[in-house]
Amino acid sequence: MGKRIAGILLAVLILVFAMPARVGAVSTSATAAILVDADSGRVLYEQNADARMLIASTTKIMTALVAIREGNLSDTVKVSKKAAYTEGSSMYLKVGEELTLETLLYGLMLCSGNDAAVAIAEHVGGSEAGFAELMNETAAELGMEHTSFANPNGLDHEDHYSTARDMAVLACAAMNNEILARIVSTRTVTIGGRTMTNHNKLLSYMDGCIGLKTGYTQAAGRTLVSCAEQEGQRLVAVTLQDGNDWADHQALYEYGFSTYPSQRLATLGQQLQEAAVQGGAVSTVPLIAADTVSWPTAKGERVETRIELEQPLTAPLTAGNRVGQAVFTWKGQEIGRVDLLCGGNVAPAVESAWNTLKLPG
């Protein structure tokens, strides 16, 4: 199936989502809700996050992700009669009309076009049923254990449901896809002869909102998945069956950014520690972080760092070689790790001239 999401990232997301979140400091009108730090996966707030719920058009986040991974933006898609006459919200497609997949994706995510969803599904999956299989395969790959997709648009169906927690997993994966992140952050676009405006009013209601997707059916009520960024930190909020979702999402973000600012645990190229060297011309060598790791930290919380070397460092050593890892733990549980690189070349110690001098026999 197209490009695969990195297994390590998914394992971290699934692990971290199991950590308890602080409750009581903020509340919502939603039946189910969750607030997550998008890059670390830490849950900052949750309310009935594992309740199985209808998700309406927030379904289209998965539709778009699958279409981008499996299709080509420049593909020409011919609109079928079934797609054109799909009930509900629409980008007003006409039978036989030909559009690029990219145009349909904008119609899907900005106009919430159910017609666009069907046209995309038929093109990428061969049929709605075939596309639903791809959606469910991707859900399983992402670790969305309590989710089932029956269609690409979110119309009510007994086999179509998810949870706030699973939708947060999906949202994090979606915002890591550059194409999808670009589409859902767009307020207005003219493409393929159409001008489309995003239904997600949160993009204009609050500074820092960068997506994602609204949804509504009479049975599901109002559903909203969104993402906001502040000073490089990204948070994802999900509310299901929430009549006050615009205000609730703003309140969740105000709480999350103020209570859990992101703390840089390691920065690419940063020296984290020095390590002893055996038999070297110098006695220590810097250990350099090979990547950047951050973690949202509330006041008074402390993240511990543990250095794990693959073996004792013995000269000669070459700068840039991987020699171990730094492991970060919070409340005794691992929250991340980064490779450590040797920070310099280390030659073997040179024996003294006295010891190496060979006298004539």
Side-chain angles (χ1 to χ4, degrees):
M1 272 197 59
K3 297 180 180 178
R4 297 295 177 182
I5 303 294
I8 293 177
L9 171 62
L10 297 180
V12 170
L13 287 175
I14 294 168
L15 170 66
V16 175
F17 279 174
M19 294 181 175
R22 180 180 298 184
V23 297
V26 68
S27 62
T28 75
S29 301
T31 299
I34 196 167
L35 177 69
V36 175
D37 180 82
D39 295 311
S40 70
R42 181 178 181 182
V43 176
L44 311 182
Y45 170 83
E46 60 178 291
Q47 170 191 344
N48 298 327
D50 296 312
R52 182 183 292 185
M53 305 280 292
L54 297 172
I55 55 174
S57 283
T58 58
T59 295
K60 292 164 185 167
I61 301 171
M62 177 62 85
T63 302
L65 183 62
V66 172
I68 291 168
R69 291 172 62 180
E70 300 297 329
N72 189 309
L73 295 184
S74 61
D75 284 354
T76 298
V77 181
K78 188 173 183 178
V79 178
S80 69
K81 182 177 180 179
K82 181 178 182 181
Y85 284 92
T86 303
E87 65 177 294
S89 55
S90 176
M91 66 176 290
Y92 304 105
L93 296 175
K94 298 177 181 178
V95 179
E97 185 176 6
E98 295 186 351
L99 305 88
T100 65
L101 180 60
E102 183 177 21
T103 300
L104 287 171
L105 285 168
Y106 275 102
L108 177 79
M109 301 307 287
L110 274 63
C111 304
S112 198
N114 290 344
D115 50 355
V118 174
I120 289 169
E122 292 176 336
H123 175 75
V124 175
S127 65
E128 285 190 84
F131 190 81
E133 290 182 10
L134 295 177
M135 296 172 76
N136 286 315
E137 287 175 13
T138 303
E141 178 187 339
L142 292 174
M144 299 171 66
E145 298 180 351
H146 305 289
T147 296
S148 174
F149 292 106
N151 60 61
N153 43 44
L155 293 175
D156 299 332
H157 189 286
E158 62 180 2
D159 294 325
H160 195 96
Y161 54 82
S162 188
T163 67
R165 193 184 310 277
D166 277 4
M167 292 303 291
V169 173
L170 173 59
C172 290
M175 294 309 294
N176 283 329
N177 183 289
E178 293 182 5
I179 296 171
L180 185 45
R182 165 171 58 82
I183 292 172
V184 298
S185 66
T186 302
R187 295 189 187 185
T188 302
V189 67
T190 298
I191 184 173
R194 282 176 164 83
T195 297
M196 294 175 275
T197 300
N198 203 321
H199 287 185
N200 183 7
K201 296 180 181 179
L202 208 60
L203 289 169
S204 56
Y205 281 178
M206 63 169 285
D207 293 335
C209 181
I210 54 176
L212 276 161
K213 188 70 189 72
T214 61
Y216 174 81
T217 68
Q218 187 171 0
R222 292 177 61 87
T223 61
L224 180 61
V225 178
S226 67
C227 181
E229 184 172 15
Q230 181 175 300
E231 297 181 357
Q233 181 180 13
R234 297 184 304 165
L235 302 183
V236 161
V238 179
T239 52
L240 303 178
Q241 206 169 67
D242 184 359
N244 196 32
D245 49 8
W246 303 127
D248 283 342
H249 279 238
Q250 292 177 77
L252 285 169
Y253 287 128
E254 182 178 352
Y255 164 75
F257 286 124
S258 63
T259 308
Y260 294 93
S262 184
Q263 175 186 343
R264 189 66 60 86
L265 305 181
T267 302
L268 174 65
Q270 173 191 3
Q271 176 180 328
L272 293 185
Q273 194 170 308
E274 286 190 335
V277 178
Q278 300 176 8
V282 295
S283 59
T284 62
V285 67
L287 300 178
I288 307 299
D291 203 351
T292 298
V293 178
S294 298
W295 179 256
T297 308
K299 185 177 180 180
E301 292 184 341
R302 183 179 178 183
V303 176
E304 304 287 344
T305 303
R306 182 177 72 252
I307 302 299
E308 295 182 351
L309 296 178
E310 295 175 348
Q311 58 188 20
L313 301 184
T314 304
L317 296 171
T318 302
N321 283 356
R322 181 182 182 276
V323 294
Q325 291 188 317
V327 181
F328 306 104
T329 60
W330 173 71
K331 294 186 177 181
Q333 189 164 11
E334 182 179 330
I335 57 174
R337 59 176 60 213
V338 64
D339 285 346
L340 294 173
L341 308 179
C342 182
N345 296 317
V346 180
V350 178
E351 295 184 43
S352 68
W354 177 264
N355 291 335
T356 58
L357 180 63
K358 293 184 179 180
L359 299 176

